[in-house]
Amino acid sequence: MSESIQQSDLVLSPTSFKPLVKEDSEQGISRPSLSYWQDAWRRLKENTRAIVSLYIILGLLAFTVLGPQIWGASGATSDVDQISKAPFANRAATIVEPFEPWDQSKVTASNNGLQLDGDPTTQAVRLVWEPMAASTNGYRIYRNIYPTGPERALGLPLGEVFPSQGTYFEDRLDLSPTYYYYTVVALGDKSRETQEFQSHEFDVTRVITADEAVEKNLIESSSDVAVGDEVMLAWHPLGTDYLGRDMLARLMEGAQVSLFIGIVAPLIYVLIGILYGSTAGFIGGPLDQGMMRFADFVVALPFLLFMIVFKIAFGVESGESGVLPMLIAMVVLLWPATARLVRGQILQIREEGYIDASRLLGAKSSYLIGRHMIPNTMGVILVTLTFAVPSAIFTEAFLSFIGMGVAPPTPSWGSMCNEGLKTMNSTPHELIFPAVLISVTVLAFNMLGDGLRDALDARMRSRE
Amino acid sequence: MTTPNSSNKSTTTASHTGADTGTAKELNRAALVQLLLLILGSLAVIIVVMYALNWAAQATGSKSAATDAINYEARSISILIEQEPPQLDAMKSTDQVSGSVLGHIMEGLIAYDVNNELVPGVAERWDIRADGATFWLRADARWSDGKPVTAQDFVFAWKTALEPATASQYAFILFPVKNAEAINTGKLTGDTLGASATSDRVLEVEFEKPIAFFEKLVAFSTYYPAREDFYKSTNGRYGADADTMLYNGAFTVESWVHNSSMRMEKNQQYWNKDSIFLNTIHVPFITADKQAGVNLFKDGRIALAQLDGETLPTALQERWNIGRLADGSVYYLEFNHREGRIGGNLNFRRALQLTLDSSELVYRVIKIPGYVPGTTLFPTWLKGKDAPFRQEYPPTPIRPDREKARELLATAMAELGLEETPSLVVLAGDTPLARKHAEYMQSELKKHLDLDVKIDRQIFKQRLAKMRAGQFDMVMAGWGPDFDDPLTFGDLFASWNLQNRGRYNNPELDAQIRIAQGSIDQQVRMDAFGEIQRILIDQAVLLPDYERGRVFVADPRMQNLGRRAIGPDPDYSRVTLLPPTAEEAGR
Amino acid sequence: MWIYAGRRVIQGIITVWFIATATFVAMHSVPGDPLLSDKAMTAEIRANLAAKYGLDKPVFPDQYMTYIGNMLQGDFGISFTQQNREVNDIIREHFPVSAALGILAVLFAALGGILWGALTALYRNKLPDIIIMFLVILGISVPSFVFAALGQLGLVGLNSWAGQTVLPVAGWGTVSHMLVPALVLGLSTMAFLTRLMRSSMLEIVNSDFVRTAKAKGLPPTRIFLKHQLRNAVLPVITVLGPAIAAITTGGFVVELVFAIPGLGRYFVEAVQQSDYTVIMGTTVFYGAFLVFMVILVDLVYGLIDPRVSVE
């Protein structure tokens, strides 16, 4: 530009100018106009992560609603033969005769250390041993899954046998098809353990009786099989829990509780919080003060106590699942945090220049709130919402933890996590599956929230 | 002409953007530097605050000394207790943790030794007759302030425990003493109690009616002594803190920081202090979390850790020596026999009796060694006349027979006029084990009898309120023994017993219970208990689930640890320590 | 300013009174009372007990008036479960423990949240952002009871690896006892604040005043500290008030696992035991504490944000 000014020899005459022809076409809007929401949707669609998370959420809903129809197993049926089984564990079992109490009078005494009477099966392991000289007060029987080794790690103390009960012991405690190291220690004076002991290891096989197999729908009738045949126990793709219940079915049923509590409760209370907080922040003055003091009051109410009160107030009969009162308690008691947050934002935005401008142009209050204030607090609101989802799921889990949650056998992901945590070393699958589902849910909501924020936020839009 | 115009515009935009990214980069770099400074600053703040908190924590004095599980040189051990003792006033104490601590710091007339035999305590000898008893106190029994323990101290403690204003929940255990019950209900004054000190060292007791097991009662904590002048000087805070108590046991509480820690030291005034090896018992931790206990044991901080089904695999992996014992209590399913409740029907109860398999429950679901499948209300450890009670009076064996059970259920429904299988409410506790148990039972009854069971899980006081009001069809109940006699279980289902939450009423059973309570002939009494056991099983009044057990790991260097079903448990008072081996000492 | 603060304090006292009343009503409408015990007792003994604790009088107005009267004198009564201890003693002895743990946890949470949040906003959609956000999601989708258990296992592992006690596994007394429990306690709040901070930072970066500041040619350091960070911290401070109260009183699981003698355990146990006096005492104390924190935060807000005047 500066160069052109230096060209002082330029001569202008009236003929150098002519009127500009008005060309309508150049001024027109060439693309269809987009409303705020249409634009938001367009931008959301462009966000791959948001769309992926949307599909994940739809998938979770399908898992919850359609899953139980497709996978027919019930999450309430226990199976003591398959307790806490990992996925893809060996399912073979041998058919045996029904369990009969042990008739010790028919047992031949052992003359060669610790021996067995009958085969070692998951039904029972029957031990017979040689009388020991040091035993003045009977024997104590131990079982280990690891070799006892030089430090004499004998393992689980299964029980004591008094002198009058002879040299027999029947072990039925939680037998699984594996190698066991049994030790019998003689008890001397005052029932103290002596140095005299006998030990042996046995390989236990998994068994099932024909009647049990019929009962569990593994075979048609008990005449189909003979003793010694092998049958396959029921298949559980994600393993079983502490009562031998199908994990997949329980995760599906648990989703109904957890997703309901985790999505519906936050949606409602965040909405209440937004309405309450924006009203208070926008109007201000004594009303704001009063409303915020009420919010302080609600925050300080003891959640546990009111949880019980709501249970009673809504007439939850003994043994009902109690999801609804839990939801109501959460909605009634948890909105103030969002309300405070939204109010704080509104107070800030209220002072912005564009609000004054809009107001000067004659915008109504409802327009100001709906068009300017809430979209501008969207970022914070969505963060709250995405965090409210896991916190609601865990509130339910915590209530289950202290015995006030959803009535059993209805599962929930949170309470399954809780149960799984205790056995995390021995059977990690009981913790991992529910935890992964919670994480996936939270992740999906977070990414969707991020996408929504970018799509809805007026200021982000001006960046592009 | 329009072209240069628009191009001009685009260049400005471009240059603006370029400048913007330039500033943005600069801004980012500056921001990063500032953030790093902020991080350093906040670390400094955290360190300062931590030092301040450290100082504050030490000033408040509530700290757990970093003690080793076992210290042979100092003759000390460290242990964990599961909960804070509500108070150490023996007259009011009810719970097991208080009972265990009290067993270390107090001594009754008669005490338990490490082998759970009754031995002389404050009384050096005694004489128990049909109408009363005499106790001769030893001359060298002293309180921790050096004054002698006198017969008056026992009389005072018993009277105080019985006073209505004291509100002792265990006052009933004193009822065999003459007029005790009337005093407790406010009908007579404390002076009329049938216990008197004929001299400082002789205690005379009159009985309300003949009693066969008084010496076992006397070992109970409610019978411990208390000294009047000291008790009154505490203004109602007796046993609330370490300094508002007098001790006559093997140890004294030297410091007690509530819910945090406790320290017990050997009582130098204790008459039998030469038999006490330990100088100090540290209690640096109070928590009910079993996993935390196992972690502390593994870390060498505590000498004993309780195990549960979840922590057993860790104990096996670590190759620890695992111990077990019966903790004395029996758990069972109790029916509601009230009018209009289905539990009043015998065939219904028998149907459930033949369906539920307590051995499967214990061996497959609970999976904790030490738990014994329930077959009767009377646990295995109870003594009979000469041998264990269960050997003298074996309970009728019940084997699951689901076929028969379904028939019985059909009969019951016909008798009750029911069209379809009823829905039942079972009241359960809030512990994880109770939940597991209830869910298992629910699934079993659905599977075998097609009964719909609803589990009503309630927290402690709400469950008690519901039990009291009879708002249940079945309740998962348990009973811990108070004294070492079958009667502690035997009278539970007497029609007059308030503990009979299901209101079972059977004159035949009541008659047997009266015999067991009134007679002092052990043969007659045991026969009566045998009858009670038979009736309870035949009538399926309750369905025994299990006898509870405990599994634990204890430091192998610790000897003479006392563990028992009745009385203070665990008892460390007689513990001796093995000297460290040469290898350990060298380390 | 001072008049405003004074007015807020008076409003706060009224709020606390409301809290006390609502809790009182709720507590008495729940079945079960503190006198119930495992051992059944006769009607006479029960009546004696009820008389001793004043539970024989009608709940309204007698018990309520007595309660409020005592509360005004700062007397919360004697615990039902720990029969020889005053509720005041319980609060006095155990609140400092919870508070010390809470202060450290809040410090971790607030400083960590602000720093990580600012960092993620600066590196939006770049590697640091993605890594931190992944950790944040992990932090919120794993419940505190899992972190508490894992934290303790980690300590055991650390000590056995080092062959000596580096950090104690549980217990209370020194700062070394607090470190891991406070981290566990503050973790979810830290994750929340990180997320909140990132979000509000992103908005601030694009706001008019930041652009104006850039246009004015202010040095970048000044823009970041004075304009971006200061404004972005506002929503964080808003939630910090209730969060402080929640953290300092809500550490039930952490206190249980790490054997810490805090107030959180008392409250949960009191509800389970229907221990009327402890429920009331802790609720009123907690309510007052929370109301006070909120007032404090509002005052701080006025100081930090030039646009919001406390009047």
Side-chain angles (χ1 to χ4, degrees):
Chain A
M1 282 297 231
S2 54
E3 285 166 36
S4 64
I5 292 167
Q6 280 167 3
Q7 292 170 332
S8 53
D9 52 344
L10 179 72
V11 180
L12 295 172
S13 68
T15 49
S16 310
F17 298 94
K18 61 174 181 181
L20 188 68
V21 181
K22 193 179 178 190
E23 291 171 62
D24 276 353
S25 57
E26 260 188 53
Q27 295 286 316
I29 298 167
S30 56
R31 304 259 177 97
S33 87
L34 287 173
S35 77
Y36 172 70
W37 295 107
Q38 280 171 320
D39 184 45
W41 174 238
R42 178 185 64 81
R43 277 144 21 92
L44 187 68
K45 275 196 294 192
E46 280 170 12
N47 187 335
T48 345
R49 279 197 285 177
I51 290 302
V52 168
S53 60
L54 204 60
Y55 283 126
I56 295 177
I57 291 171
L58 287 177
L60 282 170
L61 289 178
F63 180 76
T64 315
V65 180
L66 302 177
Q69 258 99 54
I70 298 168
W71 179 247
S74 156
T77 318
S78 62
D79 178 358
V80 290
D81 288 325
Q82 294 203 74
I83 281 177
S84 296
K85 282 285 165 291
F88 309 113
N90 181 14
R91 293 182 291 126
T94 315
I95 298 281
V96 289
E97 299 279 0
F99 178 80
E100 283 297 327
W102 194 17
D103 185 2
Q104 289 163 350
S105 61
K106 290 182 188 153
V107 182
T108 45
S110 161
N111 51 11
N112 185 20
L114 185 57
Q115 288 188 338
L116 282 176
D117 179 46
D119 292 326
T121 65
T122 51
Q123 223 171 32
V125 174
R126 289 166 174 170
L127 303 171
V128 189
W129 57 92
E130 261 184 279
M132 294 180 226
S135 165
T136 54
N137 259 310
Y139 305 89
R140 184 171 291 142
I141 293 89
Y142 286 92
R143 182 185 85 193
N144 205 342
I145 46 172
Y146 306 105
T148 47
E151 70 266 54
R152 271 184 80 185
L154 302 177
L156 298 180
L158 296 175
E160 278 99 40
V161 169
F162 298 114
S164 61
Q165 291 168 292
T167 53
Y168 314 101
F169 184 80
E170 182 183 51
D171 175 23
R172 294 178 63 197
L173 181 80
D174 187 29
L175 290 159
S176 39
T178 177
Y179 237 72
Y180 284 119
Y181 300 83
Y182 283 94
T183 311
V184 178
V185 183
L187 297 179
D189 188 33
K190 297 200 166 123
S191 295
R192 300 270 162 79
E193 286 182 17
T194 63
Q195 291 301 312
E196 192 174 0
F197 67 97
Q198 295 170 11
S199 56
H200 205 286
E201 66 236 46
F202 305 111
D203 190 9
V204 172
T205 48
R206 194 204 321 267
V207 295
I208 189 170
T209 66
D211 288 343
E212 282 169 350
V214 174
E215 199 176 273
K216 286 172 185 152
N217 288 324
L218 303 176
I219 49 174
E220 287 290 309
S221 80
S222 52
S223 53
D224 290 358
V225 287
V227 168
D229 285 359
E230 199 164 83
V231 291
M232 284 303 220
L233 297 177
W235 181 53
H236 301 289
L238 296 185
T240 59
D241 76 346
Y242 57 93
L243 280 181
R245 295 174 293 198
D246 184 61
M247 282 288 283
L248 181 58
R250 282 183 72 72
L251 285 170
M252 286 168 177
E253 287 171 23
Q256 292 170 4
V257 172
S258 291
L259 289 184
F260 183 71
I261 289 278
I263 294 174
V264 177
L267 273 183
I268 299 177
Y269 76 69
V270 166
L271 195 70
I272 293 176
I274 293 170
L275 293 178
Y276 194 92
S278 54
T279 314
F282 185 77
I283 296 174
L287 184 78
D288 173 39
Q289 289 296 313
M291 284 174 85
M292 288 335 280
R293 295 302 78 76
F294 180 69
D296 293 348
F297 161 71
V298 174
V299 167
L301 293 179
F303 184 83
L304 275 186
L305 190 63
F306 278 82
M307 178 68 222
I308 311 176
V309 172
F310 281 115
K311 256 187 166 170
I312 294 155
F314 288 92
V316 181
E317 252 316 293
S318 315
E320 302 286 342
S321 80
V323 177
L324 202 64
M326 198 183 289
L327 181 87
I328 291 169
M330 283 186 189
V331 169
V332 170
L333 296 172
L334 297 182
W335 56 265
T338 324
R340 277 189 65 79
L341 204 57
V342 171
R343 171 182 168 269
Q345 290 273 297
I346 297 278
L347 281 185
Q348 218 180 71
I349 291 166
R350 201 171 64 171
E351 310 292 324
E352 296 271 357
Y354 58 82
I355 300 290
D356 286 339
S358 185
R359 205 194 296 270
L360 280 175
L361 288 172
K364 288 199 190 73
S365 303
S366 57
Y367 180 82
L368 282 177
I369 294 182
R371 194 72 181 83
H372 288 296
M373 295 188 166
I374 291 184
N376 274 312
T377 52
M378 219 52 186
V380 169
I381 290 172
L382 285 169
V383 172
T384 324
L385 193 62
T386 45
F387 273 75
V389 172
S391 96
I393 293 178
F394 295 142
T395 304
E396 190 279 322
F398 174 69
L399 290 174
S400 296
F401 178 68
I402 59 169
M404 287 169 50
V406 177
T410 315
S412 73
W413 291 349
S415 60
M416 288 172 80
C417 257
N418 227 332
E419 298 291 338
L421 177 66
K422 295 180 208 138
T423 54
M424 130 184 112
N425 286 327
S426 44
T427 54
H429 71 277
E430 287 180 62
L431 174 64
I432 289 170
F433 290 127
V436 162
L437 276 174
I438 294 177
S439 301
V440 166
T441 311
V442 172
L443 186 71
F445 273 92
N446 259 282
M447 291 198 309
L448 184 67
D450 253 7
L452 274 177
R453 192 186 65 99
D454 289 355
L456 293 179
D457 195 320
R459 275 171 287 182
M460 293 304 250
R461 192 152 58 151
S462 66
R463 270 279 268 189
E464 284 175 9
Chain B
M1 286 307 259
T2 51
T3 329
N5 198 2
S6 67
S7 79
N8 198 2
K9 195 182 166 198
S10 70
T11 33
T12 19
T13 325
S15 74
H16 172 76
T17 325
D20 197 36
T21 33
T23 357
K25 260 187 194 153
E26 211 178 315
L27 191 66
N28 266 9
R29 205 174 312 123
L32 201 62
V33 172
Q34 285 186 356
L35 269 182
L36 283 175
L37 285 176
L38 272 179
I39 290 176
L40 285 179
S42 48
L43 277 180
V45 170
I46 288 181
I47 290 169
V48 168
V49 168
M50 274 174 33
Y51 269 97
L53 288 176
N54 198 7
W55 177 80
Q58 308 221 310
T60 54
S62 50
K63 67 168 177 183
S64 4
T67 50
D68 288 326
I70 298 237
N71 187 335
Y72 180 76
E73 301 299 315
R75 293 193 167 197
S76 76
I77 59 169
S78 297
I79 56 167
L80 167 147
I81 56 178
E82 294 192 357
Q83 63 174 65
E84 156 98 352
Q87 81 269 317
L88 290 176
D89 177 349
M91 292 163 262
K92 293 183 184 171
S93 130
T94 55
D95 64 299
Q96 199 238 336
V97 173
S98 309
S100 169
V101 175
L102 278 170
H104 291 80
I105 58 177
M106 297 295 289
E107 188 172 55
L109 293 164
I110 303 176
Y112 286 102
D113 72 357
V114 185
N115 301 310
N116 302 337
E117 306 286 343
L118 288 174
V119 292
V122 175
E124 54 188 357
R125 62 197 170 90
W126 58 89
D127 172 38
I128 295 179
R129 303 171 301 272
D131 62 336
T134 311
F135 294 89
W136 288 272
L137 276 55
R138 61 179 79 245
D140 51 355
R142 286 179 200 289
W143 290 103
S144 46
D145 64 355
K147 293 190 182 160
V149 179
T150 62
Q152 286 88 347
D153 297 338
F154 284 92
V155 177
F156 171 73
W158 299 359
K159 276 183 188 165
T160 311
L162 286 167
E163 254 172 51
T166 310
S168 168
Q169 289 181 22
Y170 262 96
F172 71 88
I173 209 151
L174 293 161
F175 286 0
V177 181
K178 193 171 184 189
N179 291 338
E181 189 164 3
I183 295 167
N184 193 225
T185 49
K187 290 183 191 113
L188 288 175
T189 59
D191 305 332
T192 56
L193 184 70
S196 58
T198 46
S199 81
D200 277 359
R201 290 180 50 202
V202 181
L203 177 67
E204 285 290 347
V205 182
E206 273 179 88
F207 293 154
E208 184 80 36
K209 56 189 177 194
I211 172 164
F213 50 92
F214 191 68
E215 73 272 23
K216 289 171 180 168
L217 287 184
V218 169
F220 195 79
S221 61
T222 318
Y223 282 83
Y224 289 165
R227 207 171 74 207
E228 184 165 7
D229 60 329
F230 188 86
Y231 183 86
K232 294 211 163 128
S233 72
T234 57
N235 287 324
R237 290 181 49 80
Y238 187 72
D241 283 299
D243 55 359
T244 59
M245 263 199 92
L246 268 190
Y247 312 91
N248 78 327
F251 291 84
T252 61
V253 177
E254 283 304 308
S255 91
W256 180 10
V257 184
H258 292 288
N259 233 348
S260 172
S261 65
M262 195 182 263
R263 196 179 84 240
M264 289 184 266
E265 296 280 355
K266 186 184 206 172
N267 184 356
Q268 296 303 334
Q269 300 289 342
Y270 182 51
W271 64 271
N272 197 9
K273 69 171 191 285
D274 296 339
S275 70
I276 307 297
F277 176 87
L278 289 179
N279 287 330
T280 315
I281 302 175
H282 297 280
V283 188
F285 310 101
I286 302 182
T287 180
D289 192 73
K290 295 270 196 313
Q291 185 66 51
V294 168
N295 289 342
L296 285 166
F297 184 82
K298 191 173 170 185
D299 201 40
R301 299 294 113 206
I302 53 173
L304 185 141
Q306 302 287 352
L307 302 175
D308 56 9
E310 283 78 27
T311 45
L312 267 175
T314 317
L316 285 179
Q317 264 167 19
E318 297 289 330
R319 309 179 70 76
W320 290 330
N321 289 320
I322 304 168
R324 63 162 233 173
L325 81 155
D327 87 339
S329 28
V330 174
Y331 284 75
Y332 46 86
L333 191 68
E334 195 172 340
F335 293 98
N336 193 348
H337 301 268
R338 286 176 177 78
E339 196 68 35
R341 293 278 181 175
I342 191 168
N345 184 290
L346 175 61
N347 284 319
F348 169 76
R349 298 199 303 266
R350 304 260 326 264
L352 262 59
Q353 189 179 36
L354 292 179
T355 307
L356 296 172
D357 182 355
S358 63
S359 54
E360 189 177 85
L361 169 73
V362 168
Y363 293 139
R364 297 294 189 85
V365 178
I366 297 178
K367 300 192 290 192
I368 304 176
Y371 277 61
V372 179
T375 47
T376 161
L377 181 62
F378 298 95
T380 37
W381 54 268
L382 273 179
K383 295 187 192 85
K385 186 166 172 288
D386 303 309
F389 176 78
R390 290 268 288 271
Q391 276 185 32
E392 291 179 354
Y393 302 89
T396 333
I398 301 283
R399 290 198 59 199
D401 184 349
R402 276 81 193 234
E403 203 78 30
K404 182 93 184 293
R406 280 187 284 271
E407 283 168 27
L408 285 168
L409 182 65
T411 322
M413 279 162 57
E415 285 169 0
L416 292 164
L418 292 173
E419 292 285 313
E420 46 191 281
T421 52
S423 160
L424 300 167
V425 174
V426 58
L427 192 56
D430 55 358
T431 63
L433 184 66
R435 179 197 168 109
K436 211 175 184 179
H437 180 183
E439 282 181 278
Y440 164 75
M441 193 178 74
Q442 183 183 42
S443 161
E444 285 297 291
L445 291 180
K446 178 78 191 162
K447 209 185 318 179
H448 299 300
L449 297 183
D450 199 28
L451 277 175
D452 282 315
V453 174
K454 284 180 182 161
I455 300 170
D456 188 11
R457 270 182 104 202
Q458 294 289 344
I459 54 177
F460 185 57
K461 292 281 156 126
Q462 268 88 67
R463 186 171 89 248
L464 287 177
K466 285 198 151 187
M467 277 169 84
R468 204 161 150 254
Q471 291 168 345
F472 60 91
D473 290 312
M474 294 176 284
V475 57
M476 287 163 54
W479 186 251
D482 294 321
F483 45 89
D484 190 5
D485 186 88
L487 188 65
T488 193
F489 292 96
D491 68 349
L492 276 177
F493 290 87
S495 60
W496 60 83
N497 192 333
L498 292 165
Q499 212 67 49
N500 178 357
R501 310 285 192 180
R503 296 274 180 278
Y504 181 68
N505 189 343
N506 181 348
E508 195 192 343
L509 183 74
D510 287 355
Q512 293 296 335
I513 293 172
R514 284 213 173 80
I515 296 173
Q517 283 180 331
S519 168
I520 50 167
D521 182 338
Q522 287 295 11
Q523 187 60 52
V524 174
R525 296 183 72 234
M526 292 304 152
D527 284 346
F529 288 125
E531 268 305 289
I532 292 170
Q533 173 171 271
R534 188 192 57 78
I535 295 170
L536 291 178
I537 295 174
D538 284 358
Q539 299 293 312
V541 177
L542 71 151
L543 304 182
D545 289 320
Y546 52 84
E547 293 171 31
R548 193 165 69 174
R550 284 180 191 276
V551 249
F552 61 94
V553 281
D555 198 298
R557 288 169 290 176
M558 194 164 58
Q559 304 286 306
N560 278 330
L561 172 71
R563 301 242 44 184
R564 47 180 80 103
I566 293 182
D569 172 76
D571 180 357
Y572 302 93
S573 61
R574 264 60 182 180
V575 158
T576 57
L577 300 177
L578 292 181
T581 57
E583 181 198 345
E584 277 167 344
R587 242 196 294 165
Chain C
M1 176 83 187
W2 290 111
I3 300 172
Y4 172 77
R7 206 171 62 217
R8 284 296 302 271
V9 168
I10 294 170
Q11 287 172 346
I13 292 172
I14 298 173
T15 313
V16 172
W17 173 56
F18 268 74
I19 293 165
T21 309
T23 311
F24 187 86
V25 173
M27 194 171 75
H28 281 276
S29 54
V30 166
D33 66 59
L35 301 184
L36 285 170
S37 77
D38 260 339
K39 309 278 170 190
M41 56 183 102
T42 63
E44 290 120 321
I45 296 174
R46 213 188 128 75
N48 282 330
L49 272 177
K52 183 186 173 190
Y53 290 108
L55 296 179
D56 53 337
K57 300 197 190 78
V59 175
F60 283 106
D62 297 45
Q63 283 192 42
Y64 177 71
M65 292 312 285
T66 315
Y67 186 76
I68 296 289
N70 288 342
M71 201 181 86
L72 285 176
Q73 295 164 30
D75 176 13
F76 288 113
I78 292 171
S79 162
F80 280 90
T81 40
Q82 310 215 339
Q83 291 147 13
N84 295 342
R85 287 186 77 201
E86 286 177 19
V87 177
N88 284 349
D89 288 347
I90 293 180
I91 293 175
R92 204 187 56 234
E93 283 172 33
H94 300 290
F95 178 69
V97 171
S98 292
L101 190 66
I103 288 171
L104 204 56
V106 168
L107 215 65
F108 280 138
L111 293 177
I114 291 170
L115 291 175
W116 298 132
L119 209 61
T120 51
L122 286 179
Y123 290 95
R124 184 164 179 244
N125 291 340
K126 297 204 186 93
L127 193 65
D129 180 27
I130 293 168
I131 293 174
I132 294 174
M133 289 327 280
F134 175 76
L135 290 178
V136 162
I137 295 206
L138 202 71
I140 53 168
S141 54
V142 178
S144 66
F145 50 80
V146 176
F147 277 126
L150 290 178
Q152 198 176 47
L153 274 180
L155 285 177
V156 175
L158 177 74
N159 289 346
S160 73
W161 172 76
Q164 60 181 35
T165 302
V166 183
L167 285 174
V169 168
W172 187 248
T174 61
V175 150
S176 56
H177 286 101
M178 295 180 203
L179 220 52
V180 173
L183 258 181
V184 169
L185 194 57
L187 214 55
S188 67
T189 311
M190 191 201 284
F192 178 58
L193 293 183
T194 304
R195 200 73 177 64
L196 200 63
M197 185 68 195
R198 175 181 188 266
S199 175
S200 79
M201 263 301 267
L202 284 180
E203 274 165 27
I204 300 293
V205 167
N206 301 310
S207 69
D208 297 338
F209 55 83
V210 171
R211 195 176 306 151
T212 313
K214 280 184 201 163
K216 269 199 316 196
L218 281 184
T221 45
R222 218 177 132 76
I223 298 178
F224 179 73
L225 208 63
K226 276 257 169 190
H227 292 274
Q228 294 188 1
L229 209 59
R230 189 173 158 184
N231 278 295
V233 151
L234 287 173
V236 173
I237 290 179
T238 320
V239 291
L240 212 52
I244 290 172
I247 284 180
T248 40
T249 51
F252 170 71
V253 174
V254 171
E255 286 175 11
L256 192 71
V257 170
F258 290 98
I260 293 170
L263 205 55
R265 274 160 86 183
Y266 271 94
F267 179 69
V268 175
E269 279 162 24
V271 170
Q272 288 176 324
Q273 298 283 338
S274 292
D275 191 339
Y276 285 170
T277 46
V278 175
I279 294 178
M280 287 303 289
T282 45
T283 308
V284 169
F285 180 78
Y286 166 69
F289 182 65
L290 186 117
V291 168
F292 174 72
M293 283 322 293
V294 166
I295 294 175
L296 203 68
V297 164
D298 283 356
L299 292 178
V300 169
Y301 213 92
L303 295 180
I304 290 190
D305 191 345
R307 288 164 303 177
V308 177
S309 70
V310 288
E311 298 299 325

